[in-house]
Amino acid sequence: MKLSIVLSTHAARFQAVAFKGDFESNVNKIAALGYDGVELAIRDPRLVDGAELSRIVSGHGLKVPAIGTGQAWGEEGLSFTDPDPAIRAAAIERTISHVPFAAQTGAAIVIGLLRGIVKPGVTHVQAMDWLVDALQQCCAAARPHVVRLALEPICRYETTLINNLTQGLDLLERVGAENMGLMPDTFHMNIEEPVIEDSIRACGDRIFHFHVADSNRWYPGAGHLDFPSILDALFSTGYPGFVSGEFMPLPDADTSARQGIAFLRRLGL
Ligand code: LER
Ligand code: MN
């Protein structure tokens, strides 16, 4: 099993990110703990030096399996489904601006909360139409660079747009792009899926990236999720990618990262 962990390139408000702060020392720590990759949360590619990030990451023998984009929503309010067309256009432009670094590193671009929530005065149907249109534009821009996008089903407490994998698969049908897939997150699936393993198996080869946290959003092993069974379902689809830790830095970032990898490695997958 290839394991990565989410690392923010800047301090961020989102609490379920284990490592924030000084980039190189965090990469160093993550590599020393035995992870194979870092998933980078990047608010705006213009604020980072992609070549320098790549140099640091690969210098520690790590890969970048995915780029998280949610800070553009969390810190700036950009979304594909905002009633203001200028904000929707900025969200599309921001997503497309991740393509060069994604192409350089082979990372998938994750679409989490950048999809937005259904704002007052907007119907769900309208929001879905905007979402489909935005994803089609982003996928078309990414395709020539062989870059993939991964939409994350997110639980009802954070959005009303695409809460579960079935809705995610329906969305993929509507978008109709082969470089668009899903990123299931075990924390969200624990809330939304009737049977987590069945939902994963139904995705087949449409899983482009995968987040793990336990039921309480602590590191895997700290809650009651059945990770041997969940990961068995994931790998039964032929999933070749990374299992990426996105959990709260509790009791502290170092302990959570260490305990998470120790638990997952013990599974022997
Ligand atoms: C991001 O990957 C995620 O899981 C969301 O809960 C962000 O709010
Ligand atoms: Mn997630």
Side-chain angles (χ1 to χ4, degrees):
M1 175 164 43
K2 291 181 288 183
L3 290 175
S4 57
I5 188 164
V6 175
L7 174 61
S8 178
T9 54
H10 286 93
R13 269 182 237 155
F14 179 44
Q15 57 168 0
V17 174
F19 284 94
K20 303 172 190 171
D22 178 56
F23 187 74
E24 184 150 18
S25 72
N26 282 330
V27 169
N28 192 29
K29 246 188 237 177
I30 289 166
L33 286 171
Y35 284 90
D36 309 293
V38 273
E39 175 181 333
L40 297 181
I42 300 178
R43 178 162 74 78
D44 184 340
R46 287 173 301 191
L47 303 177
V48 297
D49 178 343
E52 178 67 358
L53 293 185
S54 270
R55 189 192 63 72
I56 294 171
V57 170
S58 56
H60 287 83
L62 299 177
K63 299 266 189 274
V64 182
I67 299 167
T69 59
Q71 290 174 3
W73 154 265
E75 318 280 320
E76 297 174 64
L78 300 189
S79 100
F80 293 152
T81 55
D82 195 281
D84 181 345
I87 294 180
R88 297 201 300 277
I92 293 168
E93 193 193 327
R94 180 65 59 84
T95 305
I96 293 172
S97 75
H98 286 285
V99 168
F101 184 61
Q104 191 191 324
T105 53
I109 299 173
V110 170
I111 306 297
L113 282 172
L114 198 55
R115 66 161 133 328
I117 56 174
V118 182
K119 287 261 178 88
V122 175
T123 64
H124 195 271
V125 169
Q126 175 66 82
M128 285 299 293
D129 287 347
W130 283 332
L131 176 58
V132 169
D133 178 60
L135 291 173
Q136 285 172 336
Q137 291 188 50
C138 294
C139 285
R143 190 178 310 122
H145 305 277
V146 205
V147 168
R148 306 194 303 170
L149 273 75
L151 187 287
E152 177 179 45
I154 290 179
C155 79
R156 66 191 69 187
Y157 303 111
E158 296 187 45
T159 183
T160 49
L161 285 166
I162 317 295
N163 301 128
N164 59 46
L165 301 194
T166 306
Q167 292 164 348
L169 289 172
D170 289 346
L171 177 71
L172 298 191
E173 282 286 309
R174 284 191 63 185
V175 173
E178 42 72 26
N179 59 335
M180 178 89 234
L182 296 179
M183 179 183 75
D185 178 324
T186 56
F187 171 77
H188 297 299
M189 287 194 285
N190 182 54
I191 296 169
E192 298 292 347
E193 305 298 334
V195 179
I196 293 175
E197 293 84 346
D198 290 351
S199 300
I200 289 173
R201 278 188 280 266
C203 291
D205 63 3
R206 306 310 292 171
I207 298 178
F208 286 4
H209 193 52
F210 197 82
H211 271 174
V212 284
D214 217 318
S215 49
N216 47 7
R217 220 169 197 180
W218 281 49
Y219 56 84
H224 60 248
L225 285 183
D226 185 350
F227 279 102
S229 173
I230 291 169
L231 293 173
D232 183 60
L234 175 65
F235 294 124
S236 79
T237 66
Y239 178 69
F242 277 71
V243 169
S244 201
E246 183 200 45
F247 39 75
M248 296 193 296
L250 293 172
D252 58 76
D254 292 10
T255 306
S256 65
R258 194 170 51 247
Q259 297 278 53
I261 194 168
F263 175 82
L264 292 168
R265 290 286 186 229
R266 271 201 303 276
L267 301 181
L269 297 167

